[in-house]
């Protein structure tokens, strides 16, 4: 009988699950749940199993990608109040095999699996085969990972690059940093490049312009920016893309990302026209003496809807030999 494998991509907002038959590509029976609706990961997985069509084979193995550092047995999520033991989770779900990985490690491993039609170039540059690549994605948080190759075989590397310090690029961003330092002990790039980060940008820019601050959710900031009803929202979204370009360029320099810089996550793929019209690419290339070096590196937006699930399937195949 063919083995059924549970796949999970669990972020700070959504918990996406699917299943795949061992040896097959892609996935089936995908269901997305809201993480905050469940007290624990065990409960979310149980809810997923309950929603499967009657007669669907029960998975006895799993690969789960979690928005958190994965080191040792205990995993504590960064932007969701779930904490669990990998061993105890495997037992409670009655799994024979359980692989738990960082969510953006899964996204990075998915890159070689994604069709070219789901990669949208922003700016110039050309990918070098089997060269290192950077993957980053603003969502509830900011995920960052690295993809490298050894003898043509891809290896995804977990990082917490979303928590590097924010480096301002002009006087406005210096003031943004000063205002955020009054709110946070340390200002990482995730404090600006995420859903909550977009809201932080809106609020700090409103303060700088002496404008009234409304309690806007991130999706409201982007919506008002797009429909032109809020000047501060529009400035926040423009600043968001500029900072994203600077951070992506810094990460590209740090690892020599001649294999490309890939932008995933829940925000940017929905805003392709806006990132292309922004100064994202100009800021990406603005690296002084190394501007020419990074200008040769392509920046691509990942429009594959569920790269984390594809990456989980690939990582399970890698571990399975």
């Amino acid at each position: 009988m063919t083995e059924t494998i549970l796949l999970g991509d669990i972020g700070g907002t959504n918990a996406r699950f699917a299943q795949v038959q061992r040896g097959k590509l892609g996935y089936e029976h995908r269901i997305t749940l809201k993480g905050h609706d469940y007290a624990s990961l065990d409960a979310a997985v149980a809810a997923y199993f309950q929603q499967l069509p009657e007669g669907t084979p029960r998975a006895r193995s799993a690969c789960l990608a979690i928005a958190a550092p994965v080191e040792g047995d205990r995993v504590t999520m960064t932007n969701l109040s779930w904490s669990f033991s990998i061993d105890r989770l495997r037992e409670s779900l009655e799994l024979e095999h359980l692989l738990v990985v960082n969510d953006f490690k899964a996204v990075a491993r998915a890159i070689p699996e994604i069709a070219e039609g789901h990669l949208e170039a922003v700016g110039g540059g050309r990918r070098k085969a089997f060269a290192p690549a950077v993957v980053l994605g603003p969502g509830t948080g900011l995920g960052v990972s690295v993809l490298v190759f050894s003898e043509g075989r891809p290896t995804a590397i977990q990082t917490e690059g979303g928590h590097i310090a924010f480096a301002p690029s002009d006087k406005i961003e210096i003031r943004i940093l000063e205002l955020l330092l009054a709110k946070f002990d340390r200002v990482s790039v995730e404090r600006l490049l995420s859903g909550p980060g977009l809201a932080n940008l809106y609020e700090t820019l409103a303060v700088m312009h002496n404008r009234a601050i409304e309690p806007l959710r991130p999706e409201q900031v982007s919506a008002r920016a797009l429909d032109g009803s809020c000047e501060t929202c529009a400035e926040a979204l423009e600043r968001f893309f500029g900072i994203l370009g600077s951070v992506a360029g810094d990460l590209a320099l740090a690892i020599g990302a001649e294999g490309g810089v890939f932008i995933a996550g829940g925000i940017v793929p929905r805003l392709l026209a806006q990132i292309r019209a922004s100064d994202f690419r100009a800021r990406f290339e603005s690296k002084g003496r190394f501007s020419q070096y990074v200008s040769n590196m392509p920046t691509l937006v990942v429009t594959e809807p569920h790269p984390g699930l594809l990456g989980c399937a690939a990582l399970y195949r890698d571990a399975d030999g």
Side-chain angles (χ1 to χ4, degrees):
M1 185 175 180
T2 304
E3 179 186 7
T4 300
I5 301 155
L6 170 69
L7 309 174
D9 179 15
I10 295 94
T13 300
N14 294 311
R16 302 173 180 88
F17 297 103
Q19 293 192 162
V20 64
Q21 301 300 309
R22 183 176 182 179
K24 293 187 178 181
L25 300 176
Y27 50 81
E28 58 185 0
H29 303 309
R30 183 190 59 79
I31 296 174
T32 299
L33 306 176
K34 293 295 183 184
H36 290 289
D37 290 343
Y38 301 91
S40 66
L41 179 54
D42 309 51
V45 174
Y48 169 74
F49 284 148
Q50 289 172 2
Q51 295 182 42
L52 290 174
E54 186 175 351
T56 303
R58 172 68 180 262
R60 296 301 176 188
S61 298
C63 180
L64 304 179
I66 309 292
V70 179
E71 298 176 334
D73 179 64
R74 173 60 57 178
V75 178
T76 300
M77 295 192 64
T78 306
N79 292 304
L80 188 63
S81 60
W82 289 355
S83 180
F84 61 91
S85 156
I86 295 174
D87 285 343
R88 289 183 181 177
L89 180 65
R90 179 182 56 77
E91 292 172 359
S92 70
L93 298 177
E94 299 179 352
L95 298 171
E96 296 175 7
H97 306 286
L98 173 59
L99 177 64
V100 177
V101 299
N102 171 264
D103 63 333
F104 259 75
K105 178 176 180 177
V107 175
R109 180 59 185 87
I111 295 301
E113 317 288 322
I114 295 174
E116 288 293 327
H118 283 146
L119 297 171
E120 296 283 346
V122 179
R126 178 174 295 182
R127 296 162 66 182
K128 285 189 179 180
F130 307 123
V134 166
V135 183
L136 68 159
T140 305
L142 176 64
V144 177
S145 54
V146 174
L147 184 70
V148 296
F149 293 84
S150 176
E151 298 181 350
R153 295 174 62 88
T155 298
I157 300 172
Q158 167 183 302
T159 86
E160 286 300 328
H163 299 284
I164 60 176
F166 169 54
S169 294
D170 59 22
K171 291 181 179 179
I172 292 175
E173 290 177 10
I174 290 172
R175 183 58 181 148
I176 289 171
L177 176 60
E178 290 173 343
L179 290 169
L180 290 179
L181 280 171
K183 184 177 180 181
F184 304 110
D185 291 338
R186 179 178 180 272
V187 179
S188 68
V189 290
E190 184 177 89
R191 297 296 191 186
L192 299 102
L193 298 179
S194 60
L198 182 58
N200 286 335
L201 282 169
Y202 159 74
E203 291 173 7
T204 54
L205 288 167
V207 170
M208 290 167 62
H209 296 312
N210 295 313
R211 296 170 182 161
I213 299 175
E214 296 183 60
L216 299 180
R217 298 188 302 276
E219 60 270 24
Q220 292 176 308
V221 175
S222 58
R224 293 190 184 191
L226 297 181
D227 68 19
S229 63
C230 174
E231 183 179 359
T232 309
C233 292
E235 186 178 349
L237 188 61
E238 176 66 26
R239 186 64 60 170
F240 177 93
F241 284 128
I243 294 169
L244 180 62
S246 289
V247 172
D250 286 346
L251 292 169
L253 278 176
I255 71 129
E258 295 180 292
V261 176
F262 297 84
I263 313 295
I267 297 175
V268 177
R270 299 198 300 263
L271 299 170
L272 269 174
Q274 288 71 35
I275 191 173
R276 285 187 168 128
S278 74
D279 63 354
F280 165 83
R281 183 69 192 191
R283 293 273 297 261
F284 176 83
E285 295 183 5
S286 181
K287 297 302 174 190
R289 293 172 293 167
F290 281 81
S291 292
Q292 183 59 51
Y293 176 62
V294 294
S295 72
N296 294 324
M297 299 176 184
T299 46
L300 303 107
V301 176
V302 177
T303 58
E304 156 62 42
H306 302 290
L309 296 176
L310 288 180
C312 281
L315 287 167
Y316 189 88
R317 291 198 307 271
D318 294 346
D320 198 34

